[in-house]
Amino acid sequence: MDIHPANAKLGNDEPSIQSKDMGIAEFADVECINPSGHRQEVHRNFSTWSALSVGVVTGNCWTALAGSLTVAISNGGPPGVIYEFIVASLMYACISASIAELVSAMPSSGGVYHFASVCGGRYGRLTGWFGGWWNYCTWHAFIAYLVTTWATCCVVLFFNRALPVIEKISMVILVAGVFVTIVVCAIMPKANGKPYASNDFVWRDWQNNTGWSSNGFVFAAGMLNGAYAAGTPDVVTHIAEEVPRPGRNIPKAILFQNMIGFLTTFLYLIAAFYAVDDFDAVVQMSATFPLTEIYRQAAGSPGGALGLVIVVFLSSFLNLIGGYINIGRILWTLSRDDAVPFSSFTSQIHPTRRNPFNATLVCGIVSTLLACVFVANVTAFNAFVGSFVIFTTLSYLAAILPHLLSRRSNVEPGEFWMTGWLGFSVHAVSCLYIMAFIVIFCFPFAFPVDAASMNYSSLITGGLSVFIAGWWFVQKGKYEGPKFVARNSALLAKDAI
């Protein structure tokens, strides 16, 4: 058999079905599997185009950065926001390439959970356990933030076959929204007889309003805003078992997700900042929603600003559909390996809808409970949402670092494989960035600090990691983790690779 535990070393002498004198016909009574080692239960109804749409809409890069301007505008003003976003995007391009390489070799809906398990070698069960749980906590920290959670959850629950079309339409709306916003910001100031901002204001006038004395640290801390916008390159990996030939098509989707996200956000930032004619008014709104003031100055009226803000909220609503597509599938893949409580319930695929219905439903319930935290304590809720980037990057580190330390020997190369020094360099940059910035992103955003403005990300991350470790000791006896399946296995389902 060429189905091996995740901690099995991949060697050149590893037997495979096709290397033996055995035909596929002899396995006619064996159910076809996918690269996760599990039987193929979901339909491959996502094309490359719809997979790309899931990535672009769920990543939602330009609206994510627009929504985080409350914090971003203090970290250097417009030049800080732009340059911090550029550098963060370059770092996430490396992380994206690392994830693309792994998903090309192991196209499983488990995503970084599966990658961490296989790349971890003999420690694969443990690295996969933490990587999977961190990745799951990531999306709950995000989707609990919006009150539209159940509307979008129901779309994912009951319209599984329509999701590819819904995501395509959503991507068109998202791109059209940023195009309209850019046009309004570029044209309306001149139409209203107002001056544009100067080149110095947009590109050179550094404005540190954080209270930190070191501008270098302010720049590094400000990259959190860029990471929040660009930091979801694993999104499409979680539908790998629903895409034909995912080893080839998922890396394509990741590449174009990054390109579209960077281009639309970069152009959006330039247009928005050139439309500002009163930066002090924008800063005064930083405690609430400074984007509304930028839009008011750009459009020249409160009504025009409202229209542009509605575009942002519509994009965020569509983004949540993709969020539930992801988190439901993450919980499902953890459940089928007995990594979560009540896994016998959440590991089931709905017999007619062919989706992880129970897992997605549980995610909706958990998100509702987390949203109740907002009513009880706003600071606690903001701390949980603020840990989003740290959980994502920790899950990526759990997959990429073992891949690097093992010299990529635990993975059979897929169609996308960075050869020689390039691959090692990209993985090393990804890991160094993650390890450094996990620490930086735990520092307070600004001074002076009080109980309400303190950054509690380290507390949230540490506390949940302690829970994950405790559950490991409870469950490790029955938990096996994902399996490695050779790419030439005769048991693989059609279009599984």
Side-chain angles (χ1 to χ4, degrees):
M1 278 280 184
D2 47 357
I3 304 176
H4 312 289
N7 57 359
K9 179 74 172 179
L10 175 64
N12 292 330
D13 58 346
E14 195 74 68
S16 74
I17 291 175
Q18 291 183 350
S19 66
K20 301 174 183 178
D21 295 328
M22 302 169 67
I24 296 177
E26 295 184 43
F27 293 88
D29 59 335
V30 180
E31 203 162 9
C32 288
I33 61 172
N34 54 48
S36 70
H38 294 274
R39 61 192 177 93
Q40 182 66 29
E41 296 183 274
V42 291
H43 293 160
R44 296 188 182 273
N45 61 334
F46 283 87
S47 64
T48 305
W49 176 251
S50 55
L52 167 62
S53 300
V54 171
V56 172
V57 174
T58 310
N60 210 18
C61 193
W62 75 271
T63 53
L65 192 55
S68 68
L69 281 177
T70 300
V71 177
I73 204 72
S74 299
N75 292 90
V81 175
I82 293 174
Y83 294 130
E84 289 155 9
F85 169 70
I86 292 173
V87 176
S89 295
L90 290 174
M91 295 298 101
Y92 272 93
C94 293
I95 295 174
S96 299
S98 298
I99 292 176
E101 178 176 283
L102 290 169
V103 75
S104 178
M106 300 172 285
S108 163
S109 291
V112 292
Y113 162 58
H114 188 101
F115 311 153
S117 299
V118 174
C119 294
R122 61 175 179 167
Y123 303 106
R125 291 174 68 234
L126 187 61
T127 56
W129 177 274
F130 276 90
W133 269 100
W134 282 332
N135 200 233
Y136 176 68
C137 291
T138 291
W139 287 102
H140 265 308
F142 178 63
I143 65 175
Y145 186 70
L146 297 175
V147 296
T148 54
T149 185
W150 273 107
T152 52
C153 182
C154 287
V155 171
V156 177
L157 284 173
F158 298 106
F159 299 97
N160 187 61
R161 292 185 179 180
L163 285 179
V165 175
I166 291 173
E167 289 299 293
K168 289 178 185 178
I169 295 173
S170 298
M171 186 176 73
V172 171
I173 293 173
L174 186 75
V175 174
V178 71
F179 176 77
V180 169
T181 303
I182 290 172
V183 170
V184 170
C185 291
I187 293 177
M188 289 306 295
K190 184 176 181 179
N192 293 327
K194 292 185 177 181
Y196 291 103
S198 67
N199 291 332
D200 286 342
F201 171 78
V202 176
W203 300 103
R204 287 184 285 274
D205 290 344
W206 180 267
Q207 303 184 46
N208 179 2
N209 298 309
T210 64
W212 288 98
S213 59
S214 171
N215 285 329
F217 180 82
V218 170
F219 183 92
M223 286 174 59
L224 173 62
N225 307 298
Y228 182 73
T232 55
D234 69 310
V235 165
V236 293
T237 66
H238 300 298
I239 57 170
E241 294 170 29
E242 299 168 73
V243 177
R245 299 201 62 183
R248 179 186 64 180
N249 293 327
I250 295 294
K252 289 181 182 179
I254 293 174
L255 169 65
F256 285 107
Q257 174 192 342
N258 274 267
M259 291 175 59
I260 294 172
F262 175 79
L263 184 62
T264 54
T265 307
F266 182 64
L267 295 177
Y268 166 77
L269 288 175
I270 294 173
F273 286 138
Y274 268 111
V276 173
D277 60 13
D278 186 356
F279 185 67
D280 290 337
V282 175
V283 173
Q284 290 173 8
M285 291 283 290
S286 62
T288 52
F289 198 37
L291 186 63
T292 57
E293 178 60 23
I294 294 176
Y295 282 170
R296 188 195 65 78
Q297 294 181 24
S301 68
L306 176 62
L308 294 179
V309 169
I310 289 175
V311 171
V312 174
F313 287 141
L314 175 60
S315 299
S316 299
F317 176 85
L318 298 173
N319 160 257
L320 272 191
I321 296 175
Y324 269 111
I325 290 174
N326 276 271
I327 191 172
R329 281 149 178 79
I330 294 172
L331 179 58
W332 166 59
T333 56
L334 287 168
S335 299
R336 63 189 184 183
D337 291 326
D338 288 321
V340 298
F342 311 109
S343 58
S344 61
F345 176 74
T346 51
S347 64
Q348 296 178 22
I349 292 294
H350 195 281
T352 57
R353 303 188 190 281
R354 309 309 302 171
N355 67 346
F357 189 96
N358 294 350
T360 306
L361 179 63
V362 168
C363 291
I365 295 172
V366 173
S367 295
T368 302
L369 297 175
L370 291 174
C372 294
V373 175
F374 180 80
V375 178
N377 191 306
V378 175
T379 301
F381 179 77
N382 289 338
F384 190 73
V385 173
S387 63
F388 171 80
V389 171
I390 294 178
F391 278 124
T392 59
T393 50
L394 277 174
S395 68
Y396 302 157
L397 185 67
I400 301 171
L401 183 60
H403 187 45
L404 176 66
L405 295 179
S406 64
R407 298 188 177 185
R408 304 194 289 173
S409 61
N410 291 331
V411 176
E412 183 181 358
E415 292 195 35
F416 176 79
W417 186 262
M418 295 176 286
T419 58
W421 64 269
L422 176 61
F424 287 104
S425 299
V426 168
H427 299 318
V429 169
S430 300
C431 292
L432 290 173
Y433 165 78
I434 292 173
M435 289 187 288
F437 279 83
I438 281 176
V439 176
I440 292 173
F441 291 162
C442 288
F443 278 81
F445 304 118
F447 274 109
V449 178
D450 56 24
S453 62
M454 179 62 184
N455 185 349
Y456 293 99
S457 295
S458 58
L459 177 64
I460 297 295
T461 305
L464 284 174
S465 296
V466 169
F467 165 78
I468 295 168
W471 184 244
W472 160 260
F473 287 108
V474 172
Q475 199 71 1
K476 68 176 182 178
K478 60 184 297 188
Y479 170 75
E480 292 185 8
K483 306 294 190 297
F484 166 75
V485 181
R487 294 173 61 84
N488 64 348
S489 171
L491 294 180
L492 280 173
K494 182 181 179 181
D495 288 342
I497 295 289

